[in-house]
């Protein structure tokens, strides 16, 4: 994206003058050529437009449940991550989110070689996020006279049970 007019040569300093999620821009100078030389600029060459490549990361069920969504941070559970067609999924194994119900991993969608028949996995449904139901039951707490979900799975011998299944 940097160029100089005819009669000038480009010198890239290598110093970053702007950086964001899509672009790194470098400071450069257009130095006047020696009048005796046949120094031409490079404006006759097409540049490249600024902009981000499409995010190919997809996440099942977030933010819209029951469907694949663009995954802005490329961080999802193993059963919730996918890539758009033309990209292959690479799970880094690095945990990027963890809570009581989910461990999510950083992943990348790598562009496939154009000659290959590389397809994403969006034709398959993902698996909804959510905690496994707590199977621990406690008699009489907090509601007396009935079995209750036991959040800490800690009860007296005669007050403990497991849910069916």
């Amino acid at each position: 994206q940097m160029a100089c007019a005819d009669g000038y040569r480009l010198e890239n300093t290598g110093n970053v003058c702007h950086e964001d999620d899509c672009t790194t821009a470098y400071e450069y100078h257009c130095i006047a050529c020696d009048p005796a030389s046949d120094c031409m600029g490079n404006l006759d060459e097409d540049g490249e437009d600024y902009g981000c490549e499409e995010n190919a990361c997809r996440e099942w069920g977030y933010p819209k449940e029951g469907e694949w969504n663009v995954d802005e941070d490329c961080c999802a559970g193993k059963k919730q991550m996918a890539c758009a067609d033309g990209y292959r999924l690479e799970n880094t194994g690095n945990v990027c989110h963890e809570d009581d119900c989910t461990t999510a991993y950083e992943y990348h969608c790598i562009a496939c070689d154009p000659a290959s028949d590389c397809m994403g996995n969006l034709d398959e449904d993902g698996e909804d996020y959510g905690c496994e139901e707590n199977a621990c039951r406690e008699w009489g707490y907090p509601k007396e006279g009935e079995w209750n979900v036991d959040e800490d799975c800690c009860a007296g011998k005669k007050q403990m049970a497991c849910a069916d299944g």
Side-chain angles (χ1 to χ4, degrees):
Q1 284 120 352
M2 52 179 95
C4 292
D6 288 347
Y8 294 86
R9 64 180 172 76
L10 188 140
E11 184 178 287
N12 181 352
T13 67
N15 296 328
V16 174
C17 58
H18 173 81
E19 193 165 25
D20 60 28
D21 291 340
C22 302
T23 306
T24 301
Y26 299 90
E27 178 185 339
Y28 69 100
H29 304 287
C30 292
I31 312 286
C33 297
D34 182 325
S37 73
D38 188 20
C39 181
M40 299 293 289
N42 58 342
L43 293 177
D44 60 338
E45 302 169 15
D46 285 343
E48 187 175 300
D49 294 333
Y50 284 110
C52 291
E53 291 188 22
E54 177 191 350
N55 180 349
C57 298
R58 300 293 184 265
E59 183 172 6
W60 180 264
Y62 181 81
K64 294 180 185 173
E65 292 183 15
E67 64 184 71
W68 289 108
N69 298 266
V70 172
D71 184 3
E72 298 297 337
D73 60 1
C74 297
C75 174
K78 288 181 179 178
K79 303 268 184 170
Q80 291 82 30
M81 62 176 70
C83 293
D85 287 345
Y87 294 84
R88 64 179 172 76
L89 189 142
E90 184 177 285
N91 183 348
T92 68
N94 297 331
V95 174
C96 51
H97 174 81
E98 195 165 25
D99 61 27
D100 292 341
C101 302
T102 305
T103 300
Y105 300 90
E106 176 186 300
Y107 66 101
H108 304 287
C109 292
I110 311 296
C112 298
D113 180 334
S116 73
D117 188 22
C118 179
M119 299 295 285
N121 58 335
L122 297 179
D123 58 337
E124 305 166 16
D125 284 348
E127 189 173 291
D128 293 333
Y129 282 114
C131 290
E132 294 289 323
E133 183 181 338
N134 183 345
C136 298
R137 299 294 183 261
E138 184 173 1
W139 182 260
Y141 180 81
K143 295 180 184 173
E144 292 185 24
E146 63 184 79
W147 288 106
N148 297 270
V149 173
D150 185 5
E151 298 298 334
D152 62 1
C153 295
C154 179
K157 288 182 180 180
K158 300 226 176 199
Q159 290 79 31
M160 65 174 73
C162 293
D164 292 339

